[in-house]
Amino acid sequence: AIVKQQEIDLIKNMLNDFEHDALEEIDVKTADRLRITSGVFINQEGEVVSTQGKTVVVRLESMNICVAIDSSKNKLMKL
């Protein structure tokens, strides 16, 4: 079977197998909206509940849960 590069990249992002040097530090504050662009919760959007150091707690509306995300190991995009 032939696997497209786009599919390989998606799997890598889901497994957090990406260049951590490519992570960008973003300034997030409570009530900011984010999209998670890597890891288990890839493509989920939510609102920042709190931050402490590199940990960002995000409320994912689609699942009605809060998750703590290590921003040094996951890609986040501010909306």
Side-chain angles (χ1 to χ4, degrees), residues 52-71:
Q52 184 171 353
K54 295 185 183 283
T55 301
V56 180
V57 177
V58 180
R59 184 176 59 82
L60 303 178
E61 290 116 12
S62 64
M63 298 181 197
N64 199 30
I65 61 170
C66 288
V67 294
I69 307 223
D70 184 341
S71 62

Side-chain angles (χ1 to χ4, degrees), residues 28-32 34 46-51 56-59:
V28 295
K29 298 177 180 77
T30 302
D32 282 350
L34 296 178
E47 182 178 314
V48 176
V49 175
S50 66
T51 61
V56 180
V57 177
V58 180
R59 184 176 59 82

Side-chain angles (χ1 to χ4, degrees), residues 1-4 7:
I2 297 174
V3 181
K4 296 178 184 175
E7 293 168 335

Side-chain angles (χ1 to χ4, degrees), residues 8-73:
I8 293 170
D9 293 341
L10 179 63
I11 292 168
K12 282 183 176 182
N13 280 338
M14 289 177 66
L15 297 174
N16 278 338
D17 183 19
F18 56 87
E19 295 295 323
H20 290 277
D21 295 342
L23 290 175
E24 295 178 22
E25 188 172 326
I26 60 172
D27 182 36
V28 295
K29 298 177 180 77
T30 302
D32 282 350
R33 296 205 32 85
L34 296 178
R35 175 178 293 133
I36 302 166
T37 57
S38 72
V40 176
F41 296 105
I42 191 168
N43 292 325
Q44 294 295 315
E45 294 181 6
E47 182 178 314
V48 176
V49 175
S50 66
T51 61
Q52 184 171 353
K54 295 185 183 283
T55 301
V56 180
V57 177
V58 180
R59 184 176 59 82
L60 303 178
E61 290 116 12
S62 64
M63 298 181 197
N64 199 30
I65 61 170
C66 288
V67 294
I69 307 223
D70 184 341
S71 62
S72 69
K73 297 180 181 174

